[in-house]
Amino acid sequence: MNYRHIKKFALLAAIILSAVVSHFSGGWNQYHLLIIITIGINIVLAVSLNLINGYTGQFSLGHAGFMAIGAYVSAYLSTEYGANFLRLFGGHAGALAIALLFLGVLILGGIAAAVAGLIVGVPSLRLKGDYLAIVTLGFGEIIRVIIQNTDAVGGARGYSGIANYTTLFWTFALAAVTIYVVVSLIDSTYGRGFLTVRDDEIAAEAVGINTTRYKVVAFVLGAFFAGIAGGLYAHINNSINPQGFDFQVSILIVTMVILGGMGSTPGVVLAAVVLTLLPEFLRWFAKSDLLDWLVRHAYQFLSPEHFAVAAAKTKELFESRMILFSILLIALMLLRPQGLFGALPRRKASR
Amino acid sequence: MSQVEFFQQLINGLSLGAFYALIALGYTMVYGVLRFINFAHGDIFMLGAFLGYYLTPRLMPHFPGALAAVGVVVVVLLTMALCALLGILIEKLAYRPLRARPKLTVLITAIGVSLFLEFGGQFVFGADPKSFPELIEDRALGSGALTITKGQVIAFVVTVLLLVALTFIVKRTKLGMAMRAVSNNATAASLMGVNIDTVISFTFGLGSALAGVAGILWSITNTTIDPLMGVQQGIKAFTAAVLGGIGNLPGAAVGGILLGVIETFVGGSSFSTYRDAIAFALLIGILLFRPAGIFGRMQVEKV
């Protein structure tokens, strides 16, 4: 059994495992289930962004925009046309019919996002570094403003009444597929081209690699999976609104990629898990008796009214995930820019 | 659109553009010497507004009656000084250790600093919008068909004065000459005895001071401030800098005015709900079709 077979076997095993676990997840705490599903969605987002940012070296800040397109397109299709589709299968909507419908709208959402990825990928041919980052950020925001002005999907109020199709099985099966596709692609002869674009674009071009095509493929494929993640997100939350896909979400995914190490899929998967759980843990900690106890002892020298303010602020600090992420980003860049598992780029020979 | 309406929009656009110009200058100066986009610059603008918010009620009572104008100057100068200090500090702590590293590392750090100021600001000041104290009474001047407020006039005049001062600093002083030298070729400048670290600190200080003034001017005319206000204004000012040609000082001023006017006219048209997307669309358009901006020169990348 060679490496390629092991990968296929692992994919199959992961899908079966998610089906089995999903089957027994019925009695779980709904909140815990939601967190676990969020982990899966974030894995899809981080692994797909890693293809663009990590492997191909095109720093994109617009992943939330692609996610938004996937979420809105799939939610719109399943809500407006879902009932008609299920009627084709006779009066009762079986599990198979729902599965077909859900997979269908997810893929259509992914395709819509991929088209947007194509549109964003084209400017990436001319821009790099800072400029590309700010242009992708701009595209993400433009997508959000357009959705905000589209009345068919509720505009700024958001779009609600979305069926709850996302299950643990779908999330983790699709996360496994995303990982499989990205890893196989990068391992393939064709896929090595992505790395050359990142490492030295000029040298890559000089040896006849079509760098333009690689950049566009990275954006299209990355956007496709972000769209799928958006579809999963929409069908677990009853309603979605444009604010749910703003700049902060893109930053969150970027932080996962950077923490994991740009260009390391295992690192990025681990970072997605850690960065989804960490805010939840801190939120739990903020409400816990332990923090109460610590606060009582640490601030005992304060007068009662100052104590109340200090205690409330301390709680707030633990609940604010954005402060945590910003400090994490700065600290990582200063102390370990390659992330947990990434390799530092090879030092260029001095001239 | 009637003629009166046209001139009204033009006036509003010019005064809005003056803010963008002030912030854009900071982006452009930093880009000129370090070749990187200081994402946190818009947040210095926000901090300028908040410094004004906290300083005004503490300082203004010491300047009663006719002395009020002196008080305003003191508040503005103090805000400028504190913002400059903050800008220098950020550069020293976050950007300087990374100067020899890949550009992407610095970019990500800048995003981190920006987020830290925004959400740290939200934590310290509270997330809810605050109403800015009346530092200068922002009343309408004259009673004709056109409305010009005192705040708009002051914003415009201050911007022009600061532009003149900045031009003087950059063209006529020794540090300004050093700035231009570093911008032209940092290695050569350092070989000629220019202290690069001093120049970079000075550039950050100057740009941050301008952003601080912009924060106060903005708050006088817009009256409500919040910790995330720097995000939108920062990106718009950056667009202005790119529009004029990044690294080019007069370009930043012209780009700011132009963006302000364009935005006001779009805001007054039937596309008003897309107003916030204008800056982005414009930015993408320029970067795709004329990345050097209006005044910039195209540079050929050497291998």
Side-chain angles (χ1 to χ4, degrees):
Chain A
M1 200 156 72
N2 66 21
Y3 179 54
R4 233 177 335 155
H5 292 124
I6 293 175
K7 271 191 297 191
K8 285 208 178 94
F9 182 72
L11 172 68
L12 202 67
I15 291 174
I16 293 170
L17 187 69
S18 7
V20 172
V21 174
S22 191
H23 183 75
F24 292 108
S25 69
W28 292 6
N29 177 325
Q30 282 303 304
Y31 181 63
H32 292 164
L33 194 63
L34 183 67
I35 293 173
I36 294 170
I37 287 178
T38 308
I39 290 178
I41 294 173
N42 283 340
I43 289 176
V44 176
L45 287 168
V47 169
S48 58
L49 183 68
N50 192 29
L51 179 64
I52 305 173
N53 284 20
Y55 290 119
T56 321
Q58 307 296 304
F59 198 78
S60 163
L61 278 177
H63 224 48
F66 302 137
M67 187 189 171
I69 290 178
Y72 269 91
V73 168
S74 63
Y76 184 77
L77 291 177
S78 79
T79 310
E80 306 290 326
Y81 304 106
N84 282 339
F85 179 82
L86 294 178
R87 212 167 292 136
L88 294 177
F89 292 81
H92 64 289
L96 185 70
I98 288 178
L100 268 177
L101 168 72
F102 188 41
L103 198 61
V105 297
L106 281 181
I107 288 173
L108 287 174
I111 290 173
V115 171
L118 186 69
I119 298 169
V120 179
V122 173
S124 84
L125 312 176
R126 299 190 53 168
L127 306 169
K128 50 183 72 157
D130 302 21
Y131 281 126
L132 179 64
I134 209 149
V135 160
T136 47
L137 167 77
F139 268 115
E141 289 292 295
I142 287 176
I143 289 170
R144 200 169 57 82
V145 172
I146 289 174
I147 292 173
Q148 241 164 36
N149 286 296
T150 308
D151 283 331
V153 291
R157 282 168 288 119
Y159 189 64
S160 53
I162 306 164
N164 263 331
Y165 291 146
T166 304
T167 59
L168 207 137
F169 164 70
W170 282 115
T171 314
F172 282 88
L174 288 169
V177 169
T178 311
I179 295 170
Y180 175 76
V181 169
V182 170
V183 168
S184 310
L185 183 67
I186 294 301
D187 279 344
S188 69
T189 314
Y190 176 81
R192 294 293 172 190
F194 291 104
L195 305 178
T196 65
V197 173
R198 174 190 70 185
D199 287 340
D200 196 330
E201 209 180 316
I202 294 162
E205 224 157 84
V207 294
I209 285 167
N210 188 346
T211 54
T212 306
R213 190 145 120 224
Y214 276 104
K215 287 184 199 171
V216 173
V217 168
F219 265 100
V220 169
L221 207 59
F224 175 77
F225 283 114
I228 299 255
L232 289 168
Y233 172 85
H235 290 87
I236 185 76
N237 294 295
N238 235 316
S239 66
I240 48 179
N241 63 48
Q243 288 80 41
F245 304 97
D246 67 0
F247 176 51
Q248 288 180 35
V249 178
S250 295
I251 291 283
L252 188 76
I253 312 166
V254 166
T255 312
M256 288 170 187
V257 171
I258 291 167
L259 175 68
M262 297 217 272
S264 158
T265 300
V268 164
V269 170
L270 183 69
V273 177
V274 169
L275 287 186
T276 315
L277 289 178
L278 194 59
E280 297 300 331
F281 169 75
L282 289 176
R283 203 175 297 163
W284 166 82
F285 183 68
K287 290 196 184 82
S288 69
D289 296 337
L290 180 63
L291 183 71
D292 254 2
W293 184 83
L294 285 171
V295 162
R296 256 202 319 278
H297 286 78
Y299 299 147
Q300 53 186 333
F301 57 91
L302 292 174
S303 67
E305 73 257 38
H306 283 126
F307 174 83
V309 173
K313 275 286 176 193
T314 311
K315 280 198 176 132
E316 201 190 316
L317 187 62
F318 281 104
E319 282 174 343
S320 166
R321 60 175 192 174
M322 289 314 282
I323 295 184
L324 170 80
F325 286 149
S326 65
I327 295 173
L328 190 65
L329 269 182
I330 301 171
L332 267 175
M333 286 303 110
L334 289 170
L335 305 172
R336 199 177 163 79
Q338 73 271 41
L340 293 177
F341 291 88
L344 273 180
R346 271 168 298 132
R347 199 179 294 272
K348 279 195 186 135
S350 54
R351 279 189 275 256
Chain B
M1 189 183 283
S2 74
Q3 211 167 356
V4 173
E5 235 176 287
F6 175 83
F7 281 107
Q8 183 64 56
Q9 296 283 30
L10 192 65
I11 289 167
N12 294 346
L14 286 174
S15 70
L16 180 66
F19 295 118
Y20 293 156
L22 276 181
I23 315 172
L25 284 167
Y27 277 111
T28 266
M29 281 194 289
V30 167
Y31 191 88
V33 294
L34 279 181
R35 298 274 180 277
F36 103 99
I37 300 167
N38 181 14
F39 263 86
H41 192 63
D43 303 304
I44 303 274
F45 159 83
M46 174 275 289
L47 286 173
F50 271 91
L51 279 170
Y53 173 83
Y54 286 107
L55 287 176
T56 304
R58 281 166 186 75
L59 292 178
M60 286 311 275
H62 300 295
F63 300 94
L67 284 174
V70 182
V72 173
V73 174
V74 170
V75 168
V76 171
L77 286 181
L78 206 58
T79 303
M80 283 175 87
L82 289 172
C83 282
L85 209 66
L86 204 77
I88 292 170
L89 209 67
I90 289 171
E91 192 273 327
K92 266 214 161 73
L93 295 178
Y95 304 149
R96 186 163 299 180
L98 300 172
R99 208 176 287 161
R101 300 262 193 86
K103 260 187 177 170
L104 198 57
T105 314
V106 191
L107 171 71
I108 296 166
T109 313
I111 295 172
V113 171
S114 163
L115 290 173
F116 181 70
L117 293 180
E118 283 154 24
F119 292 92
Q122 214 169 57
F123 175 69
V124 175
F125 309 135
D128 44 317
K130 294 189 163 39
S131 69
F132 196 78
E134 198 171 64
L135 187 62
I136 296 167
E137 191 194 0
D138 188 24
R139 63 187 156 78
L141 297 174
S143 53
L146 294 174
T147 326
I148 305 176
T149 70
K150 202 171 157 190
Q152 284 178 325
V153 174
I154 291 176
F156 201 77
V157 171
V158 169
T159 305
V160 172
L161 286 179
L162 285 171
L163 270 177
V164 173
L166 188 70
T167 314
F168 177 79
I169 291 173
V170 173
K171 296 266 167 176
R172 291 274 182 273
T173 65
K174 210 154 188 185
L175 256 174
M177 191 156 89
M179 258 173 82
R180 282 182 290 141
V182 171
S183 169
N184 201 290
N185 187 336
T187 321
S190 82
L191 290 174
M192 294 298 123
V194 173
N195 187 338
I196 303 248
D197 285 345
T198 314
V199 171
I200 289 172
S201 286
F202 180 70
T203 310
F204 267 86
L206 210 56
S208 303
L210 293 181
V213 184
I216 288 192
L217 292 176
W218 169 266
S219 314
I220 288 173
T221 41
N222 290 276
T223 64
T224 52
I225 58 175
D226 71 274
L228 298 186
M229 68 194 268
V231 183
Q232 281 278 335
Q233 308 312 322
I235 285 171
K236 287 176 183 172
F238 174 73
T239 306
V242 173
L243 184 61
I246 195 148
N248 183 309
L249 291 182
V254 173
I257 303 279
L258 209 58
L259 179 66
V261 172
I262 293 172
E263 222 184 66
T264 324
F265 275 100
V266 172
S269 74
S270 51
F271 295 104
S272 58
T273 45
Y274 284 95
R275 185 180 155 150
D276 285 340
I278 291 300
F280 286 116
L282 202 62
L283 178 64
I284 292 168
I286 308 159
L287 287 177
L288 290 187
F289 299 110
R290 193 176 159 76
I294 299 172
F295 292 100
R297 251 174 299 152
M298 298 292 264
Q299 275 178 346
V300 180
E301 196 184 342
K302 290 181 203 139
V303 180

